[in-house]
Amino acid sequence: MAAAIDVLSPVARAIQSMTSGPGLLATDATGIPVLDQDAPNGIRQGTMWCWTNARWVTFFYSPQGDSESVRRFLGNERGRTIQCDGTPTLTFVEREGGKRPGCWSHGRRALVELARAGDKVALEGLKTISPLFAVERQSLLAGEHAVARLARRREQSQPVV
C-alpha cells in the first residue's frame, strides 16, 4: 500500500490542483466512521469531502468536517463561488467575498417533507420548481457535458428561476 500511495500521490495532487483551480466549485461532505483506538468504542467520525468543478473531482478526507478542512483544501483562494448545502461550515466563504449558491435538491427535500405533512404552500413550491428537475433529467438522458448542460439551463431553467 505504501508503495502505491507513493506512486499515486503526485497524480492525486495534480487532480486536486485541477479541481480547486479558478471557477465555480461544488462540494458536499459525508461523515464516515474511522477506527480509532483512543475513541469511545474504538470509532470516531471523520469527514469525506467531494469537490468538483464539473470536469475534475477530488475526494478530500478530514478528521473533522469543519471550516478549517475546507480552508486546507482551498489553500489561499478567497472570493470563490462554491455551490453547497446550507451548512454553517462554509459561511466564511461569503465573509471573505465569495458566493454560496444553494442547492435546489436540498431546498426541494424540505418542501417535500412539508408537503407530505399537508402544507399547501410547500406543494405550490414543488410545482414551481419541478420544471428545473425536468431540465436536469433531460440533460442527463441526453448525455450532455457541462457546456451543453449550461446552455440548456440558460435556455430552459433560467426563465423558471
Short mmCIF file of all heavy atoms in Angstrom, two decimals, residues 5 13 26 28-29 31 37 44 55 63 73 87 94 100 104 106 113 116-117 135-136 155 160:
data_model
loop_
_atom_site.label_atom_id
_atom_site.label_comp_id
_atom_site.label_asym_id
_atom_site.label_seq_id
_atom_site.Cartn_x
_atom_site.Cartn_y
_atom_site.Cartn_z
N ILE A 5 0.76 4.28 -2.69
CA ILE A 5 0.49 5.67 -2.27
C ILE A 5 1.61 6.59 -2.76
O ILE A 5 1.35 7.68 -3.27
CB ILE A 5 0.33 5.75 -0.74
CG1 ILE A 5 -0.99 5.10 -0.34
CG2 ILE A 5 0.41 7.20 -0.26
CD1 ILE A 5 -1.17 4.92 1.15
N ARG A 13 -2.34 14.83 -6.23
CA ARG A 13 -2.08 16.27 -6.03
C ARG A 13 -2.38 17.07 -7.30
O ARG A 13 -2.92 18.17 -7.25
CB ARG A 13 -0.65 16.51 -5.55
CG ARG A 13 -0.45 16.20 -4.08
CD ARG A 13 0.88 16.73 -3.56
NE ARG A 13 2.04 16.14 -4.21
CZ ARG A 13 2.60 14.97 -3.88
NH1 ARG A 13 2.10 14.26 -2.88
NH2 ARG A 13 3.64 14.51 -4.53
N ALA A 26 -18.18 22.96 -6.56
CA ALA A 26 -19.31 22.41 -5.82
C ALA A 26 -18.75 21.41 -4.83
O ALA A 26 -17.75 20.73 -5.11
CB ALA A 26 -20.29 21.73 -6.76
N ASP A 28 -19.77 18.69 -1.25
CA ASP A 28 -20.66 18.09 -0.27
C ASP A 28 -19.79 17.22 0.62
O ASP A 28 -18.75 16.72 0.19
CB ASP A 28 -21.76 17.26 -0.93
CG ASP A 28 -22.97 17.08 -0.02
OD1 ASP A 28 -23.02 17.69 1.07
OD2 ASP A 28 -23.88 16.32 -0.40
N ALA A 29 -20.21 17.07 1.85
CA ALA A 29 -19.45 16.28 2.81
C ALA A 29 -20.32 15.17 3.36
O ALA A 29 -21.53 15.30 3.45
CB ALA A 29 -18.96 17.17 3.96
N GLY A 31 -20.16 12.19 6.62
CA GLY A 31 -19.45 11.62 7.76
C GLY A 31 -19.17 10.15 7.52
O GLY A 31 -19.98 9.43 6.95
N GLN A 37 -8.41 3.73 18.22
CA GLN A 37 -8.36 3.03 19.50
C GLN A 37 -8.53 3.95 20.70
O GLN A 37 -8.90 3.49 21.78
CB GLN A 37 -7.06 2.22 19.62
CG GLN A 37 -5.81 3.08 19.64
CD GLN A 37 -4.54 2.24 19.63
OE1 GLN A 37 -4.60 1.03 19.46
NE2 GLN A 37 -3.41 2.90 19.81
N ARG A 44 -14.58 6.82 15.71
CA ARG A 44 -14.95 8.24 15.72
C ARG A 44 -15.42 8.62 14.34
O ARG A 44 -15.30 7.84 13.40
CB ARG A 44 -13.77 9.11 16.15
CG ARG A 44 -12.62 9.06 15.20
CD ARG A 44 -11.52 10.05 15.59
NE ARG A 44 -10.34 9.85 14.78
CZ ARG A 44 -10.22 10.22 13.51
NH1 ARG A 44 -11.20 10.86 12.92
NH2 ARG A 44 -9.12 9.99 12.84
N ARG A 55 -15.49 19.20 -14.17
CA ARG A 55 -14.55 18.48 -15.02
C ARG A 55 -13.68 17.54 -14.19
O ARG A 55 -13.43 16.40 -14.58
CB ARG A 55 -13.67 19.45 -15.79
CG ARG A 55 -12.70 18.73 -16.67
CD ARG A 55 -11.92 19.64 -17.55
NE ARG A 55 -10.98 18.80 -18.28
CZ ARG A 55 -10.63 19.01 -19.51
NH1 ARG A 55 -11.12 20.01 -20.16
NH2 ARG A 55 -9.77 18.22 -20.08
N PRO A 63 -10.23 14.80 9.40
CA PRO A 63 -10.69 14.23 10.68
C PRO A 63 -11.95 14.90 11.21
O PRO A 63 -12.72 14.29 11.93
CB PRO A 63 -9.51 14.45 11.63
CG PRO A 63 -8.33 14.64 10.75
CD PRO A 63 -8.85 15.27 9.48
N PHE A 73 -8.27 22.65 1.91
CA PHE A 73 -8.47 22.24 0.51
C PHE A 73 -8.31 23.43 -0.43
O PHE A 73 -7.66 23.32 -1.47
CB PHE A 73 -9.85 21.60 0.32
CG PHE A 73 -10.11 21.22 -1.11
CD1 PHE A 73 -9.58 20.05 -1.61
CD2 PHE A 73 -10.83 22.04 -1.95
CE1 PHE A 73 -9.78 19.70 -2.94
CE2 PHE A 73 -11.04 21.70 -3.28
CZ PHE A 73 -10.51 20.53 -3.77
N THR A 87 -24.93 24.42 5.02
CA THR A 87 -24.16 24.18 6.25
C THR A 87 -23.41 25.44 6.70
O THR A 87 -22.84 26.16 5.88
CB THR A 87 -23.17 23.02 6.06
OG1 THR A 87 -22.42 22.85 7.26
CG2 THR A 87 -22.20 23.28 4.93
N GLU A 94 -18.63 33.51 2.20
CA GLU A 94 -19.28 34.79 1.95
C GLU A 94 -18.60 35.93 2.71
O GLU A 94 -18.46 37.03 2.19
CB GLU A 94 -20.75 34.71 2.33
CG GLU A 94 -21.51 33.79 1.41
CD GLU A 94 -22.82 33.31 1.98
OE1 GLU A 94 -22.85 32.85 3.14
OE2 GLU A 94 -23.82 33.39 1.25
N ARG A 100 -22.08 31.64 -2.23
CA ARG A 100 -22.51 30.27 -1.94
C ARG A 100 -23.89 30.03 -2.53
O ARG A 100 -24.89 30.08 -1.83
CB ARG A 100 -22.60 30.04 -0.42
CG ARG A 100 -21.36 29.57 0.20
CD ARG A 100 -21.55 29.11 1.63
NE ARG A 100 -22.59 29.79 2.38
CZ ARG A 100 -23.20 29.28 3.44
NH1 ARG A 100 -22.89 28.10 3.87
NH2 ARG A 100 -24.13 29.96 4.07
N TRP A 104 -30.67 23.21 -5.24
CA TRP A 104 -32.11 23.01 -5.41
C TRP A 104 -32.57 21.70 -4.78
O TRP A 104 -33.69 21.63 -4.27
CB TRP A 104 -32.46 23.03 -6.90
CG TRP A 104 -32.48 24.41 -7.47
CD1 TRP A 104 -31.54 24.98 -8.29
CD2 TRP A 104 -33.46 25.43 -7.24
NE1 TRP A 104 -31.89 26.27 -8.58
CE2 TRP A 104 -33.07 26.58 -7.95
CE3 TRP A 104 -34.63 25.48 -6.49
CZ2 TRP A 104 -33.81 27.75 -7.95
CZ3 TRP A 104 -35.37 26.64 -6.49
CH2 TRP A 104 -34.95 27.76 -7.22
N HIS A 106 -31.49 20.24 -2.05
CA HIS A 106 -31.67 20.41 -0.60
C HIS A 106 -32.95 21.20 -0.31
O HIS A 106 -33.70 20.87 0.60
CB HIS A 106 -30.46 21.09 0.02
CG HIS A 106 -29.30 20.18 0.22
ND1 HIS A 106 -28.36 19.98 -0.75
CD2 HIS A 106 -28.96 19.39 1.26
CE1 HIS A 106 -27.46 19.13 -0.30
NE2 HIS A 106 -27.80 18.75 0.90
N GLU A 113 -40.92 17.29 2.47
CA GLU A 113 -41.29 16.94 3.85
C GLU A 113 -42.51 17.74 4.30
O GLU A 113 -43.45 17.19 4.89
CB GLU A 113 -40.12 17.19 4.80
CG GLU A 113 -38.99 16.20 4.65
CD GLU A 113 -37.78 16.57 5.51
OE1 GLU A 113 -37.92 17.34 6.47
OE2 GLU A 113 -36.69 16.06 5.20
N ARG A 116 -45.71 16.63 2.38
CA ARG A 116 -46.22 15.36 2.91
C ARG A 116 -46.97 15.55 4.22
O ARG A 116 -47.86 14.77 4.55
CB ARG A 116 -45.07 14.37 3.10
CG ARG A 116 -44.57 13.80 1.80
CD ARG A 116 -43.49 12.78 2.01
NE ARG A 116 -43.07 12.23 0.73
CZ ARG A 116 -41.89 11.70 0.51
NH1 ARG A 116 -40.99 11.63 1.48
NH2 ARG A 116 -41.59 11.23 -0.68
N ALA A 117 -46.61 16.60 4.94
CA ALA A 117 -47.29 16.91 6.21
C ALA A 117 -48.56 17.73 5.97
O ALA A 117 -49.23 18.13 6.93
CB ALA A 117 -46.34 17.64 7.15
N VAL A 135 -35.60 19.61 -16.48
CA VAL A 135 -34.49 20.05 -17.35
C VAL A 135 -33.24 19.22 -17.04
O VAL A 135 -32.55 18.76 -17.97
CB VAL A 135 -34.21 21.56 -17.16
CG1 VAL A 135 -32.91 21.97 -17.84
CG2 VAL A 135 -35.38 22.38 -17.67
N GLU A 136 -32.95 19.02 -15.76
CA GLU A 136 -31.77 18.23 -15.38
C GLU A 136 -31.90 16.79 -15.87
O GLU A 136 -30.93 16.19 -16.35
CB GLU A 136 -31.57 18.26 -13.86
CG GLU A 136 -31.25 19.64 -13.32
CD GLU A 136 -30.01 20.25 -13.96
OE1 GLU A 136 -28.94 19.60 -13.98
OE2 GLU A 136 -30.11 21.39 -14.46
N GLU A 155 -31.29 28.34 -21.28
CA GLU A 155 -32.46 28.44 -22.14
C GLU A 155 -33.74 28.03 -21.41
O GLU A 155 -34.78 28.69 -21.52
CB GLU A 155 -32.28 27.56 -23.37
CG GLU A 155 -33.46 27.59 -24.32
CD GLU A 155 -33.29 26.60 -25.45
OE1 GLU A 155 -32.13 26.40 -25.92
OE2 GLU A 155 -34.29 26.03 -25.89
N VAL A 160 -37.56 29.85 -15.50
CA VAL A 160 -38.30 29.32 -14.35
C VAL A 160 -37.81 30.01 -13.07
O VAL A 160 -38.60 30.42 -12.23
CB VAL A 160 -38.13 27.78 -14.22
CG1 VAL A 160 -38.78 27.28 -12.94
CG2 VAL A 160 -38.71 27.09 -15.44
#
